[in-house]
Amino acid sequence: DTAVSQTPKYLVTQMGNDKSIKCEQNLGHDTMYWYKQDSKKFLKIMFSYNNKELIINETVPNRFSPKSPDKAHLNLHINSLELGDSAVYFCASSQDRGLAGDNEQFFGPGTRLTVL
Amino acid sequence: QKEVEQNSGPLSVPEGAIASLNCTYSDRGSQSFFWYRQYSGKSPELIMFIYSNGDKEDGRFTAQLNKASQYVSLLIRDSQPSDSATYLCALTGGGNKLTFGTGTQLKVEL
């Protein structure tokens, strides 16, 4: 029944490691997103894919690489993890109906990444 | 200047009172405005969106938009303890990219 799901929920790892977070949505939406929420609760968009095509790519270190195998999945791979990468990462999805404001984004439960 | 500014709070209101949350933004080209609620340890969920000047009401919630003054607000009537959460203001310039404020923490006290 979960609309947007993410795995894992918690991720604790050492500096320098490579890790991936997976996201899946069963809402039939065309667009998916990755957000980072830091310790001050500031939520900032990182990437967005529409039908497997990258449409938003914010100023994010190239250690972060999103991959969308199909429109229901958007994964985030992070190389050479750093202490500053510790945050909560949220996946979201939306169906752009082309109407102003009518593209509600549904968020997943988040993945809390802790880099030691 | 931040793109979207909110007072971080906490804003404390007694149960049954009206909570007023405010948000200002810098980009006059912003078109759609959203209020998300985020409980501690949970994901954001949409409460309302507004894109025309004026008021929009949905149950106990009213969003107000004034594009000339570049502010958007959220009023919560008859505040309940279950309304205690962080309220995130967000906007788009017409596309899918949401820009969020840092959020206002609301505490509704018994």
PDB file of all heavy atoms in Angstrom, chain A residues 41-66:
ATOM      1  N   LYS A  41      17.029  21.043   9.348  1.00  0.00           N
ATOM      2  CA  LYS A  41      15.723  20.735   8.742  1.00  0.00           C
ATOM      3  C   LYS A  41      15.507  21.443   7.410  1.00  0.00           C
ATOM      4  O   LYS A  41      14.375  21.487   6.921  1.00  0.00           O
ATOM      5  CB  LYS A  41      14.568  21.099   9.696  1.00  0.00           C
ATOM      6  CG  LYS A  41      14.692  20.467  11.058  1.00  0.00           C
ATOM      7  CD  LYS A  41      14.712  18.966  10.971  1.00  0.00           C
ATOM      8  CE  LYS A  41      14.769  18.345  12.361  1.00  0.00           C
ATOM      9  NZ  LYS A  41      14.959  16.893  12.303  1.00  0.00           N
ATOM     10  N   PHE A  42      16.579  21.997   6.807  1.00  0.00           N
ATOM     11  CA  PHE A  42      16.417  22.649   5.513  1.00  0.00           C
ATOM     12  C   PHE A  42      16.338  21.585   4.425  1.00  0.00           C
ATOM     13  O   PHE A  42      17.242  20.755   4.283  1.00  0.00           O
ATOM     14  CB  PHE A  42      17.563  23.609   5.252  1.00  0.00           C
ATOM     15  CG  PHE A  42      17.454  24.352   3.964  1.00  0.00           C
ATOM     16  CD1 PHE A  42      16.299  25.065   3.654  1.00  0.00           C
ATOM     17  CD2 PHE A  42      18.475  24.339   3.043  1.00  0.00           C
ATOM     18  CE1 PHE A  42      16.180  25.757   2.466  1.00  0.00           C
ATOM     19  CE2 PHE A  42      18.363  25.028   1.840  1.00  0.00           C
ATOM     20  CZ  PHE A  42      17.216  25.732   1.550  1.00  0.00           C
ATOM     21  N   LEU A  43      15.257  21.622   3.669  1.00  0.00           N
ATOM     22  CA  LEU A  43      14.985  20.621   2.636  1.00  0.00           C
ATOM     23  C   LEU A  43      15.356  21.205   1.280  1.00  0.00           C
ATOM     24  O   LEU A  43      14.801  22.218   0.853  1.00  0.00           O
ATOM     25  CB  LEU A  43      13.500  20.274   2.674  1.00  0.00           C
ATOM     26  CG  LEU A  43      12.987  19.050   1.936  1.00  0.00           C
ATOM     27  CD1 LEU A  43      13.652  17.792   2.433  1.00  0.00           C
ATOM     28  CD2 LEU A  43      11.475  18.970   2.107  1.00  0.00           C
ATOM     29  N   LYS A  44      16.288  20.555   0.588  1.00  0.00           N
ATOM     30  CA  LYS A  44      16.772  21.110  -0.670  1.00  0.00           C
ATOM     31  C   LYS A  44      16.762  20.040  -1.751  1.00  0.00           C
ATOM     32  O   LYS A  44      17.208  18.913  -1.524  1.00  0.00           O
ATOM     33  CB  LYS A  44      18.194  21.645  -0.492  1.00  0.00           C
ATOM     34  CG  LYS A  44      18.757  22.345  -1.725  1.00  0.00           C
ATOM     35  CD  LYS A  44      20.034  23.059  -1.406  1.00  0.00           C
ATOM     36  CE  LYS A  44      20.712  23.584  -2.671  1.00  0.00           C
ATOM     37  NZ  LYS A  44      19.830  24.459  -3.446  1.00  0.00           N
ATOM     38  N   ILE A  45      16.264  20.423  -2.923  1.00  0.00           N
ATOM     39  CA  ILE A  45      16.190  19.462  -4.013  1.00  0.00           C
ATOM     40  C   ILE A  45      17.585  19.179  -4.545  1.00  0.00           C
ATOM     41  O   ILE A  45      18.448  20.059  -4.581  1.00  0.00           O
ATOM     42  CB  ILE A  45      15.266  19.961  -5.143  1.00  0.00           C
ATOM     43  CG1 ILE A  45      15.015  18.822  -6.133  1.00  0.00           C
ATOM     44  CG2 ILE A  45      15.845  21.195  -5.818  1.00  0.00           C
ATOM     45  CD1 ILE A  45      13.877  19.077  -7.077  1.00  0.00           C
ATOM     46  N   MET A  46      17.804  17.919  -4.940  1.00  0.00           N
ATOM     47  CA  MET A  46      19.080  17.536  -5.536  1.00  0.00           C
ATOM     48  C   MET A  46      18.897  17.209  -7.016  1.00  0.00           C
ATOM     49  O   MET A  46      19.578  17.731  -7.879  1.00  0.00           O
ATOM     50  CB  MET A  46      19.629  16.308  -4.801  1.00  0.00           C
ATOM     51  CG  MET A  46      19.858  16.506  -3.320  1.00  0.00           C
ATOM     52  SD  MET A  46      20.296  14.976  -2.493  1.00  0.00           S
ATOM     53  CE  MET A  46      21.918  14.662  -3.167  1.00  0.00           C
ATOM     54  N   PHE A  47      17.979  16.288  -7.281  1.00  0.00           N
ATOM     55  CA  PHE A  47      17.760  15.807  -8.653  1.00  0.00           C
ATOM     56  C   PHE A  47      16.272  15.573  -8.888  1.00  0.00           C
ATOM     57  O   PHE A  47      15.505  15.352  -7.953  1.00  0.00           O
ATOM     58  CB  PHE A  47      18.468  14.460  -8.882  1.00  0.00           C
ATOM     59  CG  PHE A  47      19.943  14.459  -8.638  1.00  0.00           C
ATOM     60  CD1 PHE A  47      20.466  13.920  -7.475  1.00  0.00           C
ATOM     61  CD2 PHE A  47      20.816  14.993  -9.576  1.00  0.00           C
ATOM     62  CE1 PHE A  47      21.823  13.911  -7.242  1.00  0.00           C
ATOM     63  CE2 PHE A  47      22.178  14.987  -9.357  1.00  0.00           C
ATOM     64  CZ  PHE A  47      22.687  14.440  -8.185  1.00  0.00           C
ATOM     65  N   SER A  48      15.911  15.596 -10.187  1.00  0.00           N
ATOM     66  CA  SER A  48      14.580  15.180 -10.568  1.00  0.00           C
ATOM     67  C   SER A  48      14.643  14.471 -11.912  1.00  0.00           C
ATOM     68  O   SER A  48      15.390  14.881 -12.806  1.00  0.00           O
ATOM     69  CB  SER A  48      13.634  16.376 -10.654  1.00  0.00           C
ATOM     70  OG  SER A  48      12.372  15.957 -11.125  1.00  0.00           O
ATOM     71  N   TYR A  49      13.854  13.408 -12.036  1.00  0.00           N
ATOM     72  CA  TYR A  49      13.751  12.656 -13.279  1.00  0.00           C
ATOM     73  C   TYR A  49      12.298  12.661 -13.732  1.00  0.00           C
ATOM     74  O   TYR A  49      11.384  12.492 -12.929  1.00  0.00           O
ATOM     75  CB  TYR A  49      14.188  11.209 -13.079  1.00  0.00           C
ATOM     76  CG  TYR A  49      15.658  10.963 -13.288  1.00  0.00           C
ATOM     77  CD1 TYR A  49      16.579  11.356 -12.319  1.00  0.00           C
ATOM     78  CD2 TYR A  49      16.132  10.358 -14.439  1.00  0.00           C
ATOM     79  CE1 TYR A  49      17.927  11.140 -12.497  1.00  0.00           C
ATOM     80  CE2 TYR A  49      17.485  10.131 -14.632  1.00  0.00           C
ATOM     81  CZ  TYR A  49      18.377  10.527 -13.658  1.00  0.00           C
ATOM     82  OH  TYR A  49      19.718  10.305 -13.841  1.00  0.00           O
ATOM     83  N   ASN A  50      12.104  12.829 -15.023  1.00  0.00           N
ATOM     84  CA  ASN A  50      10.780  12.699 -15.613  1.00  0.00           C
ATOM     85  C   ASN A  50      10.849  11.610 -16.672  1.00  0.00           C
ATOM     86  O   ASN A  50      11.597  11.735 -17.646  1.00  0.00           O
ATOM     87  CB  ASN A  50      10.321  14.025 -16.232  1.00  0.00           C
ATOM     88  CG  ASN A  50       8.955  13.910 -16.879  1.00  0.00           C
ATOM     89  OD1 ASN A  50       8.832  13.512 -18.029  1.00  0.00           O
ATOM     90  ND2 ASN A  50       7.925  14.257 -16.130  1.00  0.00           N
ATOM     91  N   ASN A  51      10.104  10.538 -16.453  1.00  0.00           N
ATOM     92  CA  ASN A  51      10.145   9.416 -17.399  1.00  0.00           C
ATOM     93  C   ASN A  51      11.575   8.991 -17.743  1.00  0.00           C
ATOM     94  O   ASN A  51      11.938   8.861 -18.909  1.00  0.00           O
ATOM     95  CB  ASN A  51       9.409   9.771 -18.690  1.00  0.00           C
ATOM     96  CG  ASN A  51       7.971   9.336 -18.652  1.00  0.00           C
ATOM     97  OD1 ASN A  51       7.639   8.279 -18.111  1.00  0.00           O
ATOM     98  ND2 ASN A  51       7.111  10.152 -19.222  1.00  0.00           N
ATOM     99  N   LYS A  52      12.363   8.797 -16.714  1.00  0.00           N
ATOM    100  CA  LYS A  52      13.747   8.324 -16.803  1.00  0.00           C
ATOM    101  C   LYS A  52      14.728   9.361 -17.336  1.00  0.00           C
ATOM    102  O   LYS A  52      15.901   9.082 -17.506  1.00  0.00           O
ATOM    103  CB  LYS A  52      13.853   7.047 -17.651  1.00  0.00           C
ATOM    104  CG  LYS A  52      13.008   5.890 -17.174  1.00  0.00           C
ATOM    105  CD  LYS A  52      13.383   4.592 -17.860  1.00  0.00           C
ATOM    106  CE  LYS A  52      13.082   4.642 -19.337  1.00  0.00           C
ATOM    107  NZ  LYS A  52      13.514   3.391 -20.036  1.00  0.00           N
ATOM    108  N   GLU A  53      14.247  10.593 -17.587  1.00  0.00           N
ATOM    109  CA  GLU A  53      15.138  11.634 -18.091  1.00  0.00           C
ATOM    110  C   GLU A  53      15.445  12.645 -17.001  1.00  0.00           C
ATOM    111  O   GLU A  53      14.531  13.154 -16.330  1.00  0.00           O
ATOM    112  CB  GLU A  53      14.492  12.348 -19.279  1.00  0.00           C
ATOM    113  CG  GLU A  53      15.372  13.423 -19.896  1.00  0.00           C
ATOM    114  CD  GLU A  53      14.687  14.114 -21.065  1.00  0.00           C
ATOM    115  OE1 GLU A  53      13.673  13.585 -21.544  1.00  0.00           O
ATOM    116  OE2 GLU A  53      15.162  15.189 -21.468  1.00  0.00           O
ATOM    117  N   LEU A  54      16.723  12.973 -16.821  1.00  0.00           N
ATOM    118  CA  LEU A  54      17.136  13.929 -15.804  1.00  0.00           C
ATOM    119  C   LEU A  54      16.673  15.327 -16.209  1.00  0.00           C
ATOM    120  O   LEU A  54      17.020  15.826 -17.290  1.00  0.00           O
ATOM    121  CB  LEU A  54      18.660  13.910 -15.657  1.00  0.00           C
ATOM    122  CG  LEU A  54      19.263  14.849 -14.609  1.00  0.00           C
ATOM    123  CD1 LEU A  54      18.834  14.436 -13.206  1.00  0.00           C
ATOM    124  CD2 LEU A  54      20.787  14.857 -14.719  1.00  0.00           C
ATOM    125  N   ILE A  55      15.868  15.991 -15.357  1.00  0.00           N
ATOM    126  CA  ILE A  55      15.363  17.322 -15.687  1.00  0.00           C
ATOM    127  C   ILE A  55      15.812  18.385 -14.698  1.00  0.00           C
ATOM    128  O   ILE A  55      15.798  19.563 -15.003  1.00  0.00           O
ATOM    129  CB  ILE A  55      13.822  17.344 -15.814  1.00  0.00           C
ATOM    130  CG1 ILE A  55      13.148  16.848 -14.520  1.00  0.00           C
ATOM    131  CG2 ILE A  55      13.369  16.527 -17.005  1.00  0.00           C
ATOM    132  CD1 ILE A  55      11.636  17.047 -14.518  1.00  0.00           C
ATOM    133  N   ILE A  56      16.166  17.994 -13.503  1.00  0.00           N
ATOM    134  CA  ILE A  56      16.698  18.932 -12.512  1.00  0.00           C
ATOM    135  C   ILE A  56      17.974  18.327 -11.961  1.00  0.00           C
ATOM    136  O   ILE A  56      18.002  17.188 -11.531  1.00  0.00           O
ATOM    137  CB  ILE A  56      15.715  19.200 -11.356  1.00  0.00           C
ATOM    138  CG1 ILE A  56      14.452  19.890 -11.867  1.00  0.00           C
ATOM    139  CG2 ILE A  56      16.373  20.061 -10.277  1.00  0.00           C
ATOM    140  CD1 ILE A  56      13.379  20.073 -10.797  1.00  0.00           C
ATOM    141  N   ASN A  57      19.044  19.129 -12.006  1.00  0.00           N
ATOM    142  CA  ASN A  57      20.324  18.683 -11.477  1.00  0.00           C
ATOM    143  C   ASN A  57      20.922  19.886 -10.765  1.00  0.00           C
ATOM    144  O   ASN A  57      21.507  20.755 -11.395  1.00  0.00           O
ATOM    145  CB  ASN A  57      21.215  18.186 -12.614  1.00  0.00           C
ATOM    146  CG  ASN A  57      22.518  17.599 -12.093  1.00  0.00           C
ATOM    147  OD1 ASN A  57      22.830  17.680 -10.906  1.00  0.00           O
ATOM    148  ND2 ASN A  57      23.288  17.013 -12.978  1.00  0.00           N
ATOM    149  N   GLU A  58      20.679  19.969  -9.469  1.00  0.00           N
ATOM    150  CA  GLU A  58      21.166  21.104  -8.701  1.00  0.00           C
ATOM    151  C   GLU A  58      22.667  20.981  -8.470  1.00  0.00           C
ATOM    152  O   GLU A  58      23.292  19.992  -8.845  1.00  0.00           O
ATOM    153  CB  GLU A  58      20.423  21.192  -7.365  1.00  0.00           C
ATOM    154  CG  GLU A  58      18.967  21.576  -7.533  1.00  0.00           C
ATOM    155  CD  GLU A  58      18.801  22.972  -8.093  1.00  0.00           C
ATOM    156  OE1 GLU A  58      19.018  23.957  -7.371  1.00  0.00           O
ATOM    157  OE2 GLU A  58      18.446  23.104  -9.293  1.00  0.00           O
ATOM    158  N   THR A  59      23.224  22.003  -7.862  1.00  0.00           N
ATOM    159  CA  THR A  59      24.663  22.005  -7.601  1.00  0.00           C
ATOM    160  C   THR A  59      24.964  20.986  -6.514  1.00  0.00           C
ATOM    161  O   THR A  59      24.903  21.278  -5.325  1.00  0.00           O
ATOM    162  CB  THR A  59      25.125  23.408  -7.150  1.00  0.00           C
ATOM    163  OG1 THR A  59      24.695  24.361  -8.104  1.00  0.00           O
ATOM    164  CG2 THR A  59      26.637  23.446  -7.026  1.00  0.00           C
ATOM    165  N   VAL A  60      25.238  19.788  -6.957  1.00  0.00           N
ATOM    166  CA  VAL A  60      25.493  18.669  -6.057  1.00  0.00           C
ATOM    167  C   VAL A  60      26.836  18.068  -6.456  1.00  0.00           C
ATOM    168  O   VAL A  60      27.121  17.959  -7.647  1.00  0.00           O
ATOM    169  CB  VAL A  60      24.367  17.607  -6.204  1.00  0.00           C
ATOM    170  CG1 VAL A  60      24.670  16.388  -5.350  1.00  0.00           C
ATOM    171  CG2 VAL A  60      23.023  18.208  -5.834  1.00  0.00           C
ATOM    172  N   PRO A  61      27.682  17.700  -5.476  1.00  0.00           N
ATOM    173  CA  PRO A  61      28.965  17.073  -5.846  1.00  0.00           C
ATOM    174  C   PRO A  61      28.761  15.882  -6.770  1.00  0.00           C
ATOM    175  O   PRO A  61      27.775  15.138  -6.635  1.00  0.00           O
ATOM    176  CB  PRO A  61      29.526  16.639  -4.486  1.00  0.00           C
ATOM    177  CG  PRO A  61      28.896  17.535  -3.496  1.00  0.00           C
ATOM    178  CD  PRO A  61      27.529  17.844  -4.023  1.00  0.00           C
ATOM    179  N   ASN A  62      29.659  15.692  -7.709  1.00  0.00           N
ATOM    180  CA  ASN A  62      29.471  14.591  -8.661  1.00  0.00           C
ATOM    181  C   ASN A  62      29.720  13.234  -8.037  1.00  0.00           C
ATOM    182  O   ASN A  62      29.669  12.204  -8.716  1.00  0.00           O
ATOM    183  CB  ASN A  62      30.310  14.788  -9.917  1.00  0.00           C
ATOM    184  CG  ASN A  62      31.788  14.924  -9.598  1.00  0.00           C
ATOM    185  OD1 ASN A  62      32.223  14.608  -8.498  1.00  0.00           O
ATOM    186  ND2 ASN A  62      32.557  15.425 -10.553  1.00  0.00           N
ATOM    187  N   ARG A  63      29.956  13.209  -6.717  1.00  0.00           N
ATOM    188  CA  ARG A  63      29.984  11.922  -5.999  1.00  0.00           C
ATOM    189  C   ARG A  63      28.569  11.348  -5.899  1.00  0.00           C
ATOM    190  O   ARG A  63      28.390  10.170  -5.607  1.00  0.00           O
ATOM    191  CB  ARG A  63      30.539  12.121  -4.578  1.00  0.00           C
ATOM    192  CG  ARG A  63      31.968  12.617  -4.540  1.00  0.00           C
ATOM    193  CD  ARG A  63      32.468  12.766  -3.099  1.00  0.00           C
ATOM    194  NE  ARG A  63      31.753  13.780  -2.349  1.00  0.00           N
ATOM    195  CZ  ARG A  63      30.819  13.527  -1.446  1.00  0.00           C
ATOM    196  NH1 ARG A  63      30.470  12.281  -1.153  1.00  0.00           N
ATOM    197  NH2 ARG A  63      30.232  14.522  -0.787  1.00  0.00           N
ATOM    198  N   PHE A  64      27.577  12.204  -6.122  1.00  0.00           N
ATOM    199  CA  PHE A  64      26.179  11.771  -6.075  1.00  0.00           C
ATOM    200  C   PHE A  64      25.720  11.483  -7.494  1.00  0.00           C
ATOM    201  O   PHE A  64      25.812  12.348  -8.364  1.00  0.00           O
ATOM    202  CB  PHE A  64      25.296  12.872  -5.473  1.00  0.00           C
ATOM    203  CG  PHE A  64      25.520  13.105  -4.017  1.00  0.00           C
ATOM    204  CD1 PHE A  64      26.611  13.841  -3.574  1.00  0.00           C
ATOM    205  CD2 PHE A  64      24.631  12.594  -3.074  1.00  0.00           C
ATOM    206  CE1 PHE A  64      26.826  14.056  -2.213  1.00  0.00           C
ATOM    207  CE2 PHE A  64      24.836  12.821  -1.720  1.00  0.00           C
ATOM    208  CZ  PHE A  64      25.931  13.544  -1.283  1.00  0.00           C
ATOM    209  N   SER A  65      25.225  10.282  -7.717  1.00  0.00           N
ATOM    210  CA  SER A  65      24.755   9.950  -9.058  1.00  0.00           C
ATOM    211  C   SER A  65      23.395   9.258  -8.968  1.00  0.00           C
ATOM    212  O   SER A  65      23.267   8.172  -8.410  1.00  0.00           O
ATOM    213  CB  SER A  65      25.766   9.079  -9.805  1.00  0.00           C
ATOM    214  OG  SER A  65      26.101   7.946  -9.038  1.00  0.00           O
ATOM    215  N   PRO A  66      22.379   9.911  -9.523  1.00  0.00           N
ATOM    216  CA  PRO A  66      21.059   9.297  -9.562  1.00  0.00           C
ATOM    217  C   PRO A  66      20.949   8.371 -10.758  1.00  0.00           C
ATOM    218  O   PRO A  66      21.623   8.564 -11.775  1.00  0.00           O
ATOM    219  CB  PRO A  66      20.128  10.497  -9.727  1.00  0.00           C
ATOM    220  CG  PRO A  66      20.958  11.482 -10.498  1.00  0.00           C
ATOM    221  CD  PRO A  66      22.382  11.265 -10.093  1.00  0.00           C
TER     222      PRO A  66
END
